[in-house]
C-alpha cells in the first residue's frame, strides 16, 4: 500500500463518512469463527495460541497413551479477546492443517438436560465445516479411513469426493455395492468401531448423501427412504433416548476421527447465563463435567493423533466455581498447564497501534484506497496514549476506534428540519455491511419502529406498549434465553380485545430457529395471542418437510394463527436508517421529541410495509416449498436400483484408481 500513490483525500474522507469498519468489530459471534478470517494481531495473546499449538504437537507425537488427551483452561474478562483467539486458532488450522476443529459456544446449549446430545449435534456440525484440504472436515476423515493402507498414490479427499458418486453408481449397475465393500474392508482393521458410525462417516464422501449422513451422525432421525438408501438404522427415539446414547456416539466418533487427525475441541463462554438443569446446575458446572467425562473416557491409544480440549471462561468462573469442583475436575480441565489457566492480556500502547494498522489495512484495501499514512484518520501518538493510560480490552479498543473514526465535518445546517433530512440521507447511503443477516440490528430497528407508533392504530391494532423483557409465566420474571428467541412483544388491542404479538427475528442456525418456534407457539407461557417469525424466504425454503422446525412452523401458522414474514431488504433498511439517525441524534443535534415528530409527520413508520405486515391479520398459509420434484427423482432412483453384494474388488479398484 505504501508503494502506491496516495488516493485523493476527498475519496478517502467520503469512505470514512459512509462506512465505519470498527462498528461492532469487537463482537465476535459463533458464525465468525467459521467465516473469512478477521483482522488479527498475531502478537496479541500469542502466549495462549502458541500454548495450544504446542499442546497439539504433544498429543500427536507423544509415545505415551497418557498424553493423548490433554486440556487447557483459558480465562479473560469480557471483551479481552477470547473468541478472537479461538478464531485465530481455527483459521491457522484451516490454512496450515495440523488438526480438526470443533467449536461449542455457550449458546449452543438450549437445554442442559440434553447436553451430551446437543454436543453430539455440535460435533457433527463443526466437522461439516471446511477443513485444510478444501473439503469438509468429515470428508478429510472419511478419505483418511478409506485410504488406510494405501500410502502410495492415494487419492486426495477432494479427488475421492469428486469420483465417489460415479463409482458408487457404476457398482450398482453391476449389481454390486461399493459402500458395502468399503465398509467391510475398513472394518477388518477397526474391529472395535461401531459399523454404522463408520458407514455414516464413509457416506460423507458422497456429494448427494453427505447431508443425510451428517444428520444421522448428529443423532437425528432420517426419512425412512434416506435411511434405507444409506443402510443405517433409523429407530424413532425421544430426546431422552438420544441423550442416553449420545456419550457412546461421541466417544466412537472422536476415537475414529482422532486416529487419523488431532482434534481441537473448544468450549467457549461456558459461563453464559442461559440455562440450568432440572437439578439446578448452571451451564459452567454442566460443561465442566462434560469436559471431565470426555477426558476420562476417550480412548488413549498410542496410535491416536490425540485430542486437545480448550475451555474458555471468566476468571471468576474458574476461581469461584470450576477450581473448587470435586472429583479432580480442575485437573482435567487444565491438564496441560497443570491446573493453571492461561490468562489473556489487555491491549498495550504497542498492540493497539498494530491492531488499528491491521484493521485499516484491510479496510482501505477493500475500498481500493491508499491513505496518507496507515493509521489515517488516527494519529499514532493518540493511539499509544490511549492504550497506555486506559489499558483497554480488545472490544473496548475497537469501540473507541468506532467512536473516533471520523474526520472534520462542515457545520450542520441551522434548521432542525434540514439537519434531519441531511442525517437521513447520510444514514441511508451508509455502508453497514450484511445487515440482513444481523438478527439483533433488525430486531432493534423493528422495535424502534413500533416504539414511534405507540398510541396509534395500524392495521386495526391500537399499539399500547412494546415490551422487550419477555416474561416467563411460571417464573414471573424475564429469562435471558427467552429474550434471545423472542425479541419483543407488541401489546395492544383490536376491537376491544387484547393483542399480544411475539416477534422473533431468526436469520441464523437451525438450532436457534427450532428454539424460537418452540417459544412462539407457547402462547400460554409467554402470554401471546399471536407469534410472528421473521426469516428470509430463501432460508425457510431450506427446511425439510419432515424436520422439527417445519412441524413447529406449520403449528404456528396453521393451528396457532401465527405467521411467517419474509425479510426483504427494501422494507427493513428504512427502519435501520432512522434508527441510526436516532442513535446519532446528539451528533446531528436533534432531540428525541423532534425525531419522533418528524417520523410521524412523514409517516416513515406508519407507512412501512414490514411493520404493517407484522400487525396484519394472518393468512393461515404456509410458505412455499419446492421439494416434491426432488423427492420424486430420489424415489425413481431408488425404485430403479437393484443392489446386491457379490465380489468387492472391482468396485474398490474403480474408486481408488
Amino acid at each position: 500500500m505504501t508503494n502506491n500513490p496516495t488516493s485523493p483525500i476527498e475519496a478517502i474522507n467520503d469512505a470514512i463518512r459512509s462506512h465505519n469498519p470498527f462498528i461492532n468489530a469487537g463482537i465476535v459471534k459463533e458464525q465468525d469463527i467459521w467465516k473469512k478470517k478477521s483482522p488479527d494481531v498475531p502478537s496479541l495473546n500469542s502466549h495462549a495460541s502458541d500454548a495450544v499449538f504446542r499442546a497439539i504437537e504433544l498429543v500427536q507425537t507423544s509415545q505415551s497413551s497418557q498424553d493423548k488427551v490433554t486440556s487447557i483452561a483459558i480465562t479473560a474478562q469480557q471483551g479481552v479477546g477470547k473468541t478472537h483467539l479461538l478464531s485465530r486458532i481455527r483459521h491457522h488450522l484451516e490454512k496450515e492443517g495440523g488438526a480438526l476443529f470443533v467449536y461449542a459456544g455457550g449458546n449452543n446449549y438450549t437445554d442442559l438436560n440434553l447436553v451430551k446430545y446437543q454436543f453430539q449435534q455440535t460435533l457433527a456440525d463443526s466437522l461439516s465445516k471446511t477443513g485444510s484440504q478444501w473439503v469438509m472436515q468429515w470428508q478429510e476423515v472419511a478419505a483418511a479411513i478409506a485410504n488406510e493402507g494405501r500410502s502410495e498414490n492415494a487419492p486426495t479427499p477432494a479427488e475421492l469426493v469428486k469420483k465417489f458418486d460415479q463409482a458408487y453408481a457404476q457398482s450398482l449397475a453391476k449389481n454390486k455395492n461399493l459402500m458395502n465393500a468399503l465398509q467391510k474392508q475398513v472394518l477388518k482393521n477397526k474391529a472395535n468401531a461401531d459399523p454404522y458410525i463408520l458407514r455414516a462417516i464413509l457416506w460423507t464422501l458422497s456429494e448427494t448423501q453427505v447431508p443425510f449422513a451428517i444428520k444421522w451422525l448428529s443423532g437425528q432421525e432420517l426419512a425412512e427412504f434416506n435411511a434405507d438408501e444409506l443402510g443405517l438404522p433409523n429407530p424413532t427415539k425421544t430426546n431422552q433416548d438420544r441423550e442416553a446414547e449420545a456419550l457412546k456416539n461421541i466417544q466412537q466418533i472422536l476415537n475414529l476421527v482422532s486416529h487419523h487427525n488431532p482434534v481441537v475441541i473448544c468450549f467457549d463462554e461456558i459461563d453464559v447465563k442461559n440455562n440450568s438443569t432440572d437439578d439446578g446446575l448452571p451451564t459452567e458446572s454442566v460443561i465442566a463435567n462434560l469436559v471431565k467425562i470426555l477426558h476420562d473416557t476417550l480412548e488413549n491409544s498410542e496410535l491416536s493423533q490425540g485430542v486437545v480440549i480448550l475451555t474458555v471462561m471468566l476468571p471468576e468462573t474458574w476461581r469461584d466455581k470450576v477450581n473448587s469442583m470435586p472429583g479432580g475436575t480442575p485437573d482435567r480441565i487444565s491438564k496441560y498447564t497443570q491446573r493453571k489457566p492461561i490468562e489473556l492480556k489487555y491491549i498495550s500502547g504497542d498492540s493497539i497501534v498494530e491492531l488499528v494498522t491491521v484493521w485499516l489495512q484491510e479496510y482501505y484495501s477493500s475500498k481500493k484506497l491508499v491513505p496518507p499514512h496507515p493509521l489515517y484518520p488516527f494519529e499514532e501518538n493518540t493511539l499509544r496514549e490511549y492504550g497506555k493510560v486506559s489499558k483497554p480490552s480488545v472490544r473496548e479498543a475497537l469501540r473507541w476506534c468506532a467512536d473516533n473514526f471520523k474526520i472534520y465535518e462542515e457545520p450542520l445546517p441551522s434548521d432542525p428540519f434540514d439537519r434531519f433530512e441531511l442525517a437521513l440521507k447520510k444514514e441511508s447511503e451508509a455502508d453497514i455491511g450484511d445487515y440482513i443477516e444481523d438478527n439483533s440490528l433488525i430486531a432493534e430497528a423493528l422495535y424502534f419502529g413500533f416504539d414511534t407508533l405507540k398510541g396509534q392504530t395500524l392495521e386495526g391494532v391500537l399499539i399500547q406498549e412494546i415490551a422487550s423483557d419477555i416474561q416467563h409465566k411460571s417464573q414471573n420474571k424475564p429469562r435471558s434465553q427467552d429474550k434471545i428467541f423472542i425479541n419483543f412483544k407488541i401489546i395492544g388491542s383490536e376491537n376491544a380485545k387484547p393483542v399480544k404479538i411475539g416477534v422473533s427475528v431468526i436469520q441464523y442456525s437451525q438450532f436457534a430457529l427450532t428454539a424460537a418456534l418452540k417459544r412462539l407457539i407457547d402462547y400460554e407461557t409467554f402470554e401471546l395471542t399471536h407469534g410472528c417469525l421473521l426469516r428470509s424466504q430463501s432460508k425457510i425454503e431450506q427446511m425439510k418437510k419432515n424436520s422439527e422446525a417445519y412441524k413447529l412452523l406449520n403449528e404456528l401458522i396453521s393451528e396457532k394463527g401465527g405467521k411467517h414474514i419474509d425479510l426483504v431488504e427494501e422494507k427493513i433498511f428504512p427502519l435501520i436508517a432512522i434508527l441510526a439517525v436516532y442513535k446519532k441524534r446528539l451528533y446531528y443535534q436533534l432531540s428525541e421529541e423532534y425525531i419522533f415528530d418528524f417520523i410521524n409527520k412523514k409517516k416513515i413508520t406508519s407507512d412501512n410495509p414490514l411493520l404493517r405486515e407484522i400487525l396484519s391479520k394472518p393468512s393461515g398459509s404456509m410458505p412455499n416449498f419446492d421439494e416434491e420434484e426432488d423427492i420424486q427423482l430420489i424415489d425413481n432412483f431408488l425404485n430403479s436400483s437393484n443392489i446386491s453384494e457379490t465380489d468387492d474388488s472391482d468396485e474398490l479398484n474403480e474408486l481408488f484408481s
Side-chain angles (χ1 to χ4, degrees), residues 237-410:
K237 300 175 184 176
T238 65
N239 280 344
Q240 287 69 32
D241 294 333
R242 299 182 195 282
E243 173 69 6
E245 297 175 1
L247 181 60
K248 174 177 66 69
N249 295 334
I250 292 165
Q251 291 166 344
Q252 277 284 335
I253 291 171
L254 286 176
N255 287 338
L256 273 170
V257 170
S258 65
H259 184 78
H260 298 278
N261 305 80
V263 183
V264 177
I265 302 173
C266 303
F267 289 96
D268 193 12
E269 295 183 323
I270 71 164
D271 29 29
V272 63
K273 306 297 182 187
N274 68 345
N275 220 328
S276 64
T277 63
D278 291 340
D279 298 329
L281 291 175
T283 307
E284 59 266 22
S285 298
V286 176
I287 300 300
N289 186 58
L290 176 60
V291 174
K292 177 180 182 292
I293 292 171
L294 291 176
H295 176 278
D296 290 348
T297 60
L298 290 178
E299 185 179 285
N300 293 331
S301 166
E302 294 87 346
L303 300 177
S304 169
Q305 299 293 299
V307 177
V308 178
I309 305 174
L310 311 180
T311 313
V312 183
M313 67 195 84
L314 297 170
E316 52 267 31
T317 300
W318 171 266
R319 182 186 65 239
D320 301 335
K321 297 179 180 179
V322 176
N323 197 33
S324 59
M325 289 181 69
T329 300
D331 299 289
R332 289 160 173 82
I333 289 180
S334 189
K335 176 181 178 180
Y336 183 72
T337 51
Q338 300 178 343
R339 200 166 172 165
K340 295 177 182 177
I342 296 175
E343 187 169 357
L344 303 189
K345 299 174 181 177
Y346 286 87
I347 291 279
S348 66
D350 288 336
S351 54
I352 192 172
V353 170
E354 292 181 68
L355 181 68
V356 174
T357 300
V358 169
W359 274 88
L360 288 179
Q361 184 176 30
E362 181 165 302
Y363 171 73
Y364 286 124
S365 177
S366 70
K367 303 288 185 183
K368 295 182 171 55
L369 294 171
V370 180
H373 58 83
L375 294 172
Y376 185 83
F378 301 108
E379 294 294 336
E380 182 173 339
N381 290 340
T382 305
L383 290 171
R384 288 190 182 279
E385 184 67 16
Y386 169 69
K388 179 180 178 182
V389 173
S390 301
K391 294 182 173 58
S393 66
V394 172
R395 186 177 301 167
E396 289 168 341
L398 291 171
R399 188 183 300 129
W400 181 91
C401 289
D403 293 340
N404 291 277
F405 188 71
K406 61 185 69 170
I407 55 171
Y408 172 77
E409 297 279 7
E410 295 180 5

Side-chain angles (χ1 to χ4, degrees), residues 615-629:
L615 295 172
S616 66
K617 286 182 169 37
S619 68
S621 299
M622 282 285 283
N624 291 326
F625 290 83
D626 300 321
E627 65 172 358
E628 276 74 13
E629 291 185 4

Side-chain angles (χ1 to χ4, degrees), residues 223-235:
E224 203 57 48
F225 65 83
N226 291 131
D228 291 344
E229 173 77 295
L230 270 62
L232 297 172
N234 196 41

Side-chain angles (χ1 to χ4, degrees), residues 24 37 68 140 148 163 168 195 255 387 455 459 590 609 613:
N24 297 325
K37 184 179 179 181
K68 289 299 179 179
E140 290 184 23
E148 200 164 14
K163 69 167 66 174
Y168 180 70
N255 287 338
E459 297 292 325
L590 296 167
E613 198 171 354

